Amino acid sequence: MEDRKLTVRAVERALDILLCFTRGSELGLTEIASQIGLHKSTVHRLLTTLEEKGFLIRNPSTEKYRLGIRIWELSTHLPVFDESATLLLPAMERLRDRLGETVSLYLRDGFERVRIQAVQSEQAIRRVAQIGARLPLSVGASSKVLAAYAPPEVLRELLESAGWPDYVERSAYRQQLEDIIRIGYATSFEEREPGAAAVAVPVTGRSGNVVAALSLSGPVSRLSRETLVEYAAVLRETAEEMGLMLP
């Protein structure tokens, strides 16, 4: 039984290492050890195994690691949103071309949102959105959209969770969610990142259920609060178009 516990713990630690790469594309031993709270010698052994299996690649010149070919091989077999992320890509590209900012599509997974598709702005100063990134539901326009339309029990558990940030006042957050349902969109202005703003709307399938959040984000120098409200109407048009493509 003790050997089994050690084996399971080793697997958990290896997965924790891989999850570090959701926050950076190339990481060193010290960075990884600090993020997962383990001694460097333990992390080094796990990194060596992951490298041997092809899940990580080490850059000899920098001694840093990045995701390996095995991750790509696994991802090619992943059914992303029932392949709807690819289906909705042209509509997202048209929205990007019309408004000039980065467009993202998110799903809710537990108490987090996951970016399943993104179209980057072509402007020199832009917000780069990485597909697969996980973000908390407590802040951000897309987070609030997904929380607003989540089942009541999910919202209750979210607000009561130990991981709820102290700087987000629960009653004010609830009020924001009620406002989102009333007006049909959410905005964020430097909520999660300094200098960044976003607007998001729900994507409703033909079943009538909200299945995703469509967002547009960029620098506050171009996206004022007034501009976010103006762009919300354009996003709703695209979300309605996308909804007709979904079950």
Side-chain angles (χ1 to χ4, degrees):
M1 181 62 70
E2 186 63 29
D3 289 343
R4 178 177 174 79
K5 288 182 179 179
L6 291 173
T7 301
V8 172
R9 184 58 182 146
V11 173
E12 290 177 345
R13 289 172 170 176
L15 292 173
D16 286 342
I17 288 175
L18 292 176
L19 289 172
C20 287
F21 290 88
T22 62
R23 299 183 288 273
S25 58
E26 197 170 73
L27 301 171
L29 171 61
T30 302
E31 294 173 275
I32 295 171
S34 175
Q35 286 191 34
I36 64 176
L38 290 176
H39 195 278
K40 287 196 290 185
S41 61
T42 301
V43 174
H44 184 265
R45 289 195 297 271
L46 293 167
L47 288 171
T48 300
T49 300
L50 289 168
E51 183 182 5
E52 290 174 350
K53 292 293 185 180
F55 288 95
L56 293 177
I57 296 174
R58 183 175 61 86
N59 186 333
S61 62
T62 63
E63 293 296 322
K64 290 192 173 185
Y65 295 82
R66 58 184 174 84
L67 294 176
I69 190 69
R70 288 293 184 187
I71 297 292
W72 179 83
E73 290 175 351
L74 288 174
S75 69
T76 60
H77 299 285
L78 179 66
V80 181
F81 194 34
D82 293 331
E83 300 184 351
S84 296
T86 301
L87 178 67
L88 301 178
L89 184 58
M92 295 174 66
E93 290 174 337
R94 289 193 294 273
L95 181 61
R96 184 272 314 276
D97 294 343
R98 182 175 177 182
L99 299 180
E101 303 294 350
T102 295
V103 177
S104 299
L105 188 67
Y106 293 91
L107 294 182
R108 182 180 64 82
D109 184 18
F111 297 158
E112 296 179 311
R113 57 175 159 129
V114 183
R115 186 182 293 119
I116 64 165
Q117 188 61 278
V119 180
Q120 312 296 340
S121 168
E122 295 178 343
Q123 303 204 51
I125 299 175
R126 60 188 177 187
R127 232 184 130 245
V128 177
Q130 293 183 331
I131 295 175
R134 285 180 171 270
L135 300 165
L137 286 184
S138 52
V139 291
S142 295
S143 290
K144 290 182 288 187
V145 164
L146 292 172
Y149 294 95
E153 62 272 16
V154 172
L155 180 58
R156 183 175 60 254
E157 291 177 16
L158 171 66
L159 291 170
E160 294 174 355
S161 66
W164 185 263
D166 294 336
Y167 60 87
V168 180
E169 209 280 316
R170 288 177 173 82
S171 61
Y173 181 84
R174 279 186 178 276
Q175 183 60 56
Q176 289 183 64
L177 300 190
E178 292 176 8
D179 292 342
I180 289 165
I181 293 174
R182 177 174 55 82
I183 64 178
Y185 66 88
T187 61
S188 63
F189 203 80
E190 296 189 302
E191 279 188 16
R192 196 175 62 82
E193 297 177 22
V199 57
V201 299
V203 178
T204 305
R206 283 176 290 179
S207 64
N209 296 321
V210 172
V211 294
L214 175 68
S215 82
L216 179 137
S217 59
V220 295
S221 58
R222 291 197 301 266
L223 295 179
S224 65
R225 297 181 190 277
E226 292 75 17
T227 301
L228 292 177
V229 174
E230 177 185 341
Y231 283 179
V234 183
L235 262 72
R236 279 200 296 264
E237 292 177 10
T238 300
E240 289 176 4
E241 174 190 347
M242 294 166 72
L244 296 175
M245 305 179 195
L246 301 174

